[in-house]
Short mmCIF file of all heavy atoms in Angstrom, two decimals:
data_model
loop_
_atom_site.label_atom_id
_atom_site.label_comp_id
_atom_site.label_asym_id
_atom_site.label_seq_id
_atom_site.Cartn_x
_atom_site.Cartn_y
_atom_site.Cartn_z
N LYS A 32 -54.31 35.03 -21.71
CA LYS A 32 -53.30 35.64 -20.81
C LYS A 32 -54.02 36.50 -19.77
O LYS A 32 -53.67 36.46 -18.57
CB LYS A 32 -52.31 36.48 -21.58
CG LYS A 32 -51.35 37.20 -20.65
CD LYS A 32 -50.22 37.97 -21.32
CE LYS A 32 -49.46 38.76 -20.27
NZ LYS A 32 -48.40 39.56 -20.80
N GLU A 79 -54.96 55.86 -2.13
CA GLU A 79 -53.66 56.23 -2.70
C GLU A 79 -53.90 57.03 -3.99
O GLU A 79 -52.98 57.29 -4.74
CB GLU A 79 -52.77 55.03 -2.93
CG GLU A 79 -53.38 53.93 -3.78
CD GLU A 79 -52.40 52.81 -4.07
OE1 GLU A 79 -51.37 53.11 -4.70
OE2 GLU A 79 -52.66 51.66 -3.64
N CYS A 111 -51.86 50.01 -1.03
CA CYS A 111 -53.07 49.21 -0.84
C CYS A 111 -53.27 48.80 0.60
O CYS A 111 -54.28 48.18 0.93
CB CYS A 111 -53.02 47.95 -1.73
SG CYS A 111 -52.96 48.36 -3.46
N SER A 148 -48.07 47.16 -19.44
CA SER A 148 -48.25 45.78 -18.95
C SER A 148 -49.16 45.76 -17.72
O SER A 148 -49.76 44.75 -17.39
CB SER A 148 -46.92 45.12 -18.66
OG SER A 148 -46.32 45.71 -17.54
N LYS A 199 -42.62 42.37 -12.05
CA LYS A 199 -42.13 41.04 -11.56
C LYS A 199 -41.66 41.16 -10.11
O LYS A 199 -41.93 40.31 -9.30
CB LYS A 199 -40.94 40.56 -12.43
CG LYS A 199 -41.29 40.33 -13.87
CD LYS A 199 -41.93 38.96 -14.08
CE LYS A 199 -42.33 38.73 -15.50
NZ LYS A 199 -43.74 38.86 -15.80
N HIS A 233 -55.26 40.48 -0.49
CA HIS A 233 -55.30 41.69 -1.34
C HIS A 233 -55.15 41.14 -2.75
O HIS A 233 -54.22 40.39 -3.06
CB HIS A 233 -54.11 42.62 -0.98
CG HIS A 233 -53.84 43.61 -2.08
ND1 HIS A 233 -54.81 44.49 -2.53
CD2 HIS A 233 -52.73 43.84 -2.84
CE1 HIS A 233 -54.30 45.21 -3.50
NE2 HIS A 233 -53.04 44.85 -3.71
N LYS A 238 -55.04 36.03 -10.02
CA LYS A 238 -53.98 35.00 -10.02
C LYS A 238 -52.96 35.24 -8.89
O LYS A 238 -52.36 34.29 -8.39
CB LYS A 238 -53.28 35.02 -11.39
CG LYS A 238 -52.14 34.05 -11.57
CD LYS A 238 -52.61 32.72 -12.09
CE LYS A 238 -51.50 31.82 -12.66
NZ LYS A 238 -51.07 32.18 -14.02
N LYS A 242 -51.31 32.46 -6.30
CA LYS A 242 -49.89 32.15 -6.26
C LYS A 242 -49.41 32.13 -4.79
O LYS A 242 -48.63 31.26 -4.40
CB LYS A 242 -49.07 33.20 -7.00
CG LYS A 242 -49.15 33.14 -8.50
CD LYS A 242 -48.12 34.10 -9.07
CE LYS A 242 -48.41 34.47 -10.48
NZ LYS A 242 -47.32 35.17 -11.11
P1 HMG B 401 -46.87 40.80 -17.76
O1 HMG B 401 -45.44 40.87 -17.41
O2 HMG B 401 -47.29 41.38 -19.07
O3 HMG B 401 -47.40 39.32 -17.71
O4 HMG B 401 -47.76 41.52 -16.66
P2 HMG B 401 -46.60 37.95 -17.64
O5 HMG B 401 -45.79 37.79 -18.87
O6 HMG B 401 -45.92 37.81 -16.30
O7 HMG B 401 -47.85 36.96 -17.73
C1 HMG B 401 -48.78 36.92 -16.67
C2 HMG B 401 -49.20 35.48 -16.52
O8 HMG B 401 -49.98 35.10 -17.68
C3 HMG B 401 -48.07 34.48 -16.44
O9 HMG B 401 -48.45 33.50 -15.50
C4 HMG B 401 -48.01 33.85 -17.83
O10 HMG B 401 -47.46 32.55 -17.87
C5 HMG B 401 -49.50 33.84 -18.15
P3 HMG B 401 -47.53 33.24 -14.17
O11 HMG B 401 -46.23 32.81 -14.65
O12 HMG B 401 -47.48 34.61 -13.45
O13 HMG B 401 -48.32 32.24 -13.39
N1 HMG B 401 -49.82 33.75 -19.57
C6 HMG B 401 -50.81 32.98 -20.07
N2 HMG B 401 -51.70 32.16 -19.44
C7 HMG B 401 -52.62 31.53 -20.24
N3 HMG B 401 -52.65 31.65 -21.59
C8 HMG B 401 -51.80 32.47 -22.24
C9 HMG B 401 -50.81 33.18 -21.47
N4 HMG B 401 -49.83 34.03 -21.77
C10 HMG B 401 -49.22 34.39 -20.61
N5 HMG B 401 -51.84 32.58 -23.56
C11 HMG B 401 -48.01 41.94 -14.28
C12 HMG B 401 -48.19 40.96 -15.41
C13 HMG B 401 -48.83 41.50 -13.09
C14 HMG B 401 -46.52 42.00 -13.90
C15 HMG B 401 -48.46 43.36 -14.73
O14 HMG B 401 -49.81 43.31 -15.10
C16 HMG B 401 -48.24 44.44 -13.71
O15 HMG B 401 -47.16 44.99 -13.56
N6 HMG B 401 -49.31 44.80 -12.90
C17 HMG B 401 -49.23 45.78 -11.84
C18 HMG B 401 -48.44 45.33 -10.64
C19 HMG B 401 -49.15 44.30 -9.80
O16 HMG B 401 -50.34 44.11 -9.86
N7 HMG B 401 -48.37 43.62 -8.91
C20 HMG B 401 -48.94 42.66 -7.98
C21 HMG B 401 -48.19 42.58 -6.67
S1 HMG B 401 -47.92 44.21 -5.95
C22 HMG B 401 -49.45 44.65 -5.24
O17 HMG B 401 -50.30 43.82 -5.08
C23 HMG B 401 -49.66 46.07 -4.83
C24 HMG B 401 -50.49 46.89 -5.80
O18 HMG B 401 -51.89 46.57 -5.61
C25 HMG B 401 -50.23 48.38 -5.58
C26 HMG B 401 -50.42 48.97 -4.17
O19 HMG B 401 -50.09 48.37 -3.15
O20 HMG B 401 -50.87 50.13 -4.09
C27 HMG B 401 -50.16 46.63 -7.24
#
Side-chain angles (χ1 to χ4, degrees):
K32 175 175 174 183
E79 56 175 297
C111 299
S148 68
K199 298 277 179 257
H233 162 57
K238 178 88 165 282
K242 286 190 200 191

